[in-house]
Each structure stands twice: as C-alpha cells, then as structure tokens.
Amino acid sequence: IMGTRLAVGLWSDDDAAGERAVEAVLGEMRRVDALMSHYKPESQLSQINQRADREAVRVDPELAQLILRAARLSELTGGAFDITYASVGYLYDYRAHTRPTDAEIAAGLGAVDWRHVIVDQEASTVRFSRTGVRIDLGGIAKGYAVDRAIAIVQDMGIVHASVTAGGDSRIIGDRFGRPWIVGIRHPDDPDRVIARIPMVDASISTSGDYERYFDEGGERYHHIIDPGTGRSAGELRSVTIIGPDATTTDGLSTSVFVLGPERGLELVEKLGDVDAVIVRRDGKVLYSSGLGEPP
Ligand code: AMP
Ligand code: MG
C-alpha cells in the first residue's frame, strides 16, 4: 500500500480484537492512499494537479490541512521541504532511468515554490497561482497515514503497537515490558544495521538515497529533490529523525536530507523535541546532541 511495505505489530488480550485492529490499520492506509496518491488519476491529489491552475478544487478538509502542514514545514525549512518540487520531480522516472535535461529543469523550476499553492480552509479548496505547478505529498503522507493508523488502534483500546510504512514508524507503549527496538540500516546494505534505537511512545523516519534511484555516469539520481536546483540532494546518504509523531518525523527526514548536515542539524537542535542520525556521503555518521555520540 502507498507503494511501500507495511508492518503492524500490536498487543491485544483478545485474538479477534487484535485481528480487527490490524485490519483497521490496513483499511486506513488504503483510505489515505486513495485520497493522496499521485499515481491514481481519480485521487483528490491528482484532481488538484489536473485542475487547480484553472479553478479552486474542492477537497476533503483533511487533505487541505495536510497541504497547510506541508506549507508550514516549507516555511520552517526555508523551502527545503516543498511539495511543488513535483513540478520538476515528475520528469524523473527512476524505474525507467529517465531524467530531465538541463533545459527541462530550468523550464520547470519557475513553478517550484510552495507559495504557488493557495489553500482556502473555509471553502476547503486548493488552487495554484500559476500554470505548470504540481504537488506531491510523498515526503509526508506515509508518516501521516501511520499517525492516523495509530489513532485508530488507540480508539479501539490498543495501548501497545508499532506501525511502519516504508521508512516511517510510530510506536505506542512498549513490547512485553521492554522498548521496541528500531534499527537504522546501512545505506549500501539492507542487512547491516548502523544503529539500534530503543523506543517507547515515539516515531522514527528514515529518508535515504537508496529508496528510489538509478545510477548513471557515476552519479546517483534519487527521489529526494532539492527544490532550489531541481536535482537530487547530494550531500547525504540517509537521515533518520526521531520525534513525537510520524507526520513530523517523515516531513523532517526529507527536509534535513535536502538541508544537508550543517543546516539540517542546526534545525534539529533548534526544534528541541526531535533527534537525528545522519549518514554523510563519506560514510561518517552524525548524531544530534539528544542522542550523544555513542561509544
Ligand atoms: P521520504 O522517503 O519521506 O524521504 O520522502 C521522499 C519523497 O518525498 C519522494 O519520493 C517525493 O515523493 C517527495 N519529495 C522529494 N523531494 C521533496 C522535497 N524537496 N520536498 C517535499 N517532498 C519531496
Ligand atoms: Mg519523509
């Protein structure tokens, strides 16, 4: 679902109730995907991309709210996080190994600016201020779906659970009296773990250059795009963010990846309620002060 692998683990005293909770998680993931997928032409997100340059497109308040949340993150990150990156981003096809020419990037960049997206909360509509704008919530939607899923199992009375969608996880409670352990993988080897983080009541997201990419002429073309250049952000291999909720950690892992090590860590330290593990291109691993340098 959402083009990624899901994992749900939870504790219930009652088998049937546990199964129902797992089903509810899957159902919620499918619902969010149907609303926000940019692959599905009938999704509300695709409706925005098809029509919002000409008219205000009515959407569910939930989608309008998430677009506003993305805009707040754009403001916070000085535009490193920007859902209009897709105005250029759609020209990359990582499976087909195709990418835009310099001229195509230059032509598309004018449409990349989160301020081109105008949300009317009262009317629950979205409109673009110019043509050529496209949006994509891939940098935040999985974390959002994970948060929604956790809220639903909590409503069902579950107090110990872990929900993961791709690189985004949220954990409530503990696992048989101990923390849940989440591993951060090595960027070049899915079976090698560079750090193990014990977690209780927290979220963790990893963004990496190994998720969707192709290599050509010694360059890696991957799915995290610097909105300033229209090209893959080049300084880091992966960014892991630990924080209170998965929408936050998902959005921030993508953001810090674009910001790079110095500006990225500066933002993490400023925010205070999040931590980061950053793998630089040269392999060096950096930790925010809340985690400390492990021995
Ligand atoms: P993640 O795996 O959470 O790091 O998100 C990567 C996804 O975020 C990509 O596949 C795109 O859908 C989207 N994305 C890429 N670059 C940006 C950016 N600069 N701002 C917001 N979303 C982005
Ligand atoms: Mg993300």
Side-chain angles (χ1 to χ4, degrees), residues 80-83 85 136 138-139 142 168 206-207 212 223-225 227 250 253-254 258:
F81 190 89
D82 188 334
I83 59 174
Y85 91 91
D136 167 34
K142 280 192 264 98
D168 304 292
T206 299
S207 294
R212 289 200 280 135
H223 68 145
I224 302 170
I225 303 293
D250 188 3
S253 67
T254 312
V258 173

Side-chain angles (χ1 to χ4, degrees), residues 47-208:
Q47 293 300 312
I48 294 171
N49 282 336
Q50 285 160 34
R51 308 198 325 257
D53 60 339
R54 279 164 282 139
E55 56 181 310
V57 178
R58 248 195 101 82
V59 297
D60 285 2
E62 182 184 10
L63 179 54
Q65 285 306 321
L66 192 62
I67 292 171
L68 282 173
R69 186 146 178 191
R72 286 201 296 276
L73 191 54
S74 298
E75 205 156 14
L76 182 73
T77 61
F81 190 89
D82 188 334
I83 59 174
T84 69
Y85 91 91
S87 314
V88 171
Y90 87 99
L91 297 166
Y92 291 84
D93 185 334
Y94 303 99
R95 272 195 210 150
H97 293 202
T98 52
R99 60 189 170 89
T101 63
D102 291 352
E104 285 167 333
I105 291 175
L109 270 182
V112 177
D113 187 334
W114 56 278
R115 295 174 193 85
H116 293 323
V117 183
I118 295 145
V119 177
D120 182 336
Q121 270 196 88
E122 213 129 280
S124 198
T125 60
V126 180
R127 170 160 203 155
F128 297 151
S129 64
R130 53 161 286 167
T131 57
V133 179
R134 286 175 192 237
I135 59 171
D136 167 34
L137 292 170
I140 199 169
K142 280 192 264 98
Y144 175 75
V146 165
D147 282 340
R148 287 286 319 149
I150 287 288
I152 283 173
V153 299
Q154 277 178 322
D155 280 348
M156 296 172 89
I158 303 284
V159 291
H160 302 279
S162 154
V163 176
T164 299
D168 304 292
S169 301
R170 178 155 174 186
I171 277 154
I172 52 168
D174 55 28
R175 189 173 185 276
F176 307 118
R178 291 169 181 230
W180 299 78
I181 305 291
V182 180
I184 302 175
R185 64 160 270 190
H186 189 285
D188 292 321
D189 182 353
D191 297 324
R192 226 166 103 199
V193 171
I194 60 159
R196 284 189 175 78
I197 315 254
M199 298 209 343
V200 176
D201 288 319
S203 298
I204 184 165
S205 293
T206 299
S207 294

Side-chain angles (χ1 to χ4, degrees), residues 204-215:
I204 184 165
S205 293
T206 299
S207 294
D209 71 356
Y210 48 80
E211 291 287 352
R212 289 200 280 135
Y213 72 96
F214 63 94
D215 291 324

